[in-house]
Amino acid sequence: MYTLEAVKAFTYGCKKCKLYKTRTKVVFGQGSPYADILFIGEGPGYNEDQHGKAFIGPAGELLTKAIEGIGMKREEVYIANIVKCRPPNNRNPQEDEINRCIPYLRWQVKIINPKIIVCLGSIAAKNIIGHELKITKQRGKWYFKKGIWIMPTFHPSAVLRDDLKKRPFWKDFKEIYKKWEELKGDHDEKR
Ligand code: URA
Ligand code: SF4
């Protein structure tokens, strides 16, 4: 079994898809290797690409507020993305790029072994839960796959663009907290 640091080292210098050509820094993701909750976004934006850290721009600020809003700290969760390199002009990551990159995320999931995965936005939700998923209809619902509770919610960037998404977004975070409380202590024998 690899460590997170080992998988991170594989991504640095990775040229498995064309996004390597335009990236500044690989954004592996960061947080606690023992996190109960793993947040998965789409891919790095401008700020993330510059600094090599996930969710540090405006969307990251909102995500941080939401995490703190349920009494947690960013350092105790883990935050990663479907693709580790920024798609040019923030376009959606393409299927070939996702297919090349997603094995890294699968390693992260395996190693961290979270109790809960939160898919931030449609791209994450489709690739983690199922391609037929409709985020507007299915956000806030729980899925249970391979021993992990998974919830899709809106991407924080979408919430920043549309005030109507604010309330459901906060509601989803409250549900995430409830589920986490419920599961606390459930499989602590893993540590
Ligand atoms: N949007 C994402 O999906 N991921 C980031 O890391 C930042 C913005
Ligand atoms: Fe490699 Fe992923 Fe970056 Fe593509 S996006 S170059 S697969 S790390």
Side-chain angles (χ1 to χ4, degrees):
M1 182 73 146
Y2 294 121
T3 62
L4 281 176
E5 285 307 309
V7 181
K8 187 177 184 173
F10 292 145
T11 64
Y12 286 13
C14 175
K15 294 183 177 178
K16 283 185 193 288
C17 84
K18 58 190 176 300
L19 292 178
Y20 87 87
K21 293 182 197 164
T22 46
R23 76 178 173 224
T24 310
K25 287 190 172 164
V26 176
V27 179
F28 182 67
Q30 74 274 356
S32 167
Y34 309 108
D36 283 338
I37 309 182
L38 167 62
F39 291 90
I40 302 176
E42 180 176 318
Y46 173 81
N47 296 288
E48 291 77 19
D49 174 69
Q50 290 291 310
H51 298 281
K53 288 215 160 27
F55 280 100
I56 55 166
E61 269 175 46
L62 178 58
L63 178 61
T64 306
K65 270 192 207 156
I67 291 168
E68 290 173 353
I70 57 171
M72 303 188 88
K73 295 196 184 84
R74 262 182 83 119
E75 301 76 54
E76 59 183 313
V77 302
Y78 200 96
I79 304 174
N81 283 301
I82 295 284
V83 294
K84 310 298 190 214
C85 302
R86 182 192 182 207
N89 306 313
N90 298 341
R91 66 157 168 75
N92 287 347
Q94 295 165 352
E95 200 183 322
D96 59 317
E97 297 158 354
I98 293 172
N99 290 342
R100 295 296 172 91
C101 205
I102 214 159
Y104 295 128
L105 180 64
R106 295 200 197 290
W107 275 109
Q108 287 173 301
V109 172
K110 246 193 173 140
I111 297 164
I112 297 165
N113 188 21
K115 294 175 180 169
I116 294 171
I117 291 177
V118 180
C119 301
L120 300 167
S122 175
I123 298 271
K126 282 178 191 283
N127 284 283
I128 303 291
I129 300 165
H131 286 276
E132 64 298 332
L133 186 134
K134 297 265 180 295
I135 192 76
T136 43
K137 280 206 175 133
Q138 283 159 273
R139 57 137 276 279
K141 295 195 196 313
W142 286 108
Y143 297 80
F144 189 67
K145 275 176 90 169
K146 297 182 188 168
I148 304 175
W149 289 94
I150 310 176
M151 184 204 274
T153 188
F154 289 130
H155 193 289
S157 301
V159 181
L160 289 173
R161 285 192 302 266
D162 179 3
D163 271 354
L164 288 174
K165 294 194 167 76
K166 272 194 185 134
R167 254 142 83 81
F169 183 70
W170 287 103
K171 184 168 173 264
D172 293 349
F173 271 76
K174 277 189 203 140
E175 284 302 316
I176 293 160
Y177 180 76
K178 264 202 224 159
K179 180 65 82 184
W180 179 69
E181 277 258 298
E182 234 174 82
L183 298 173
K184 251 197 313 195
D186 252 21
H187 52 113
D188 273 351
E189 67 276 12
K190 79 179 183 186
R191 324 242 132 97

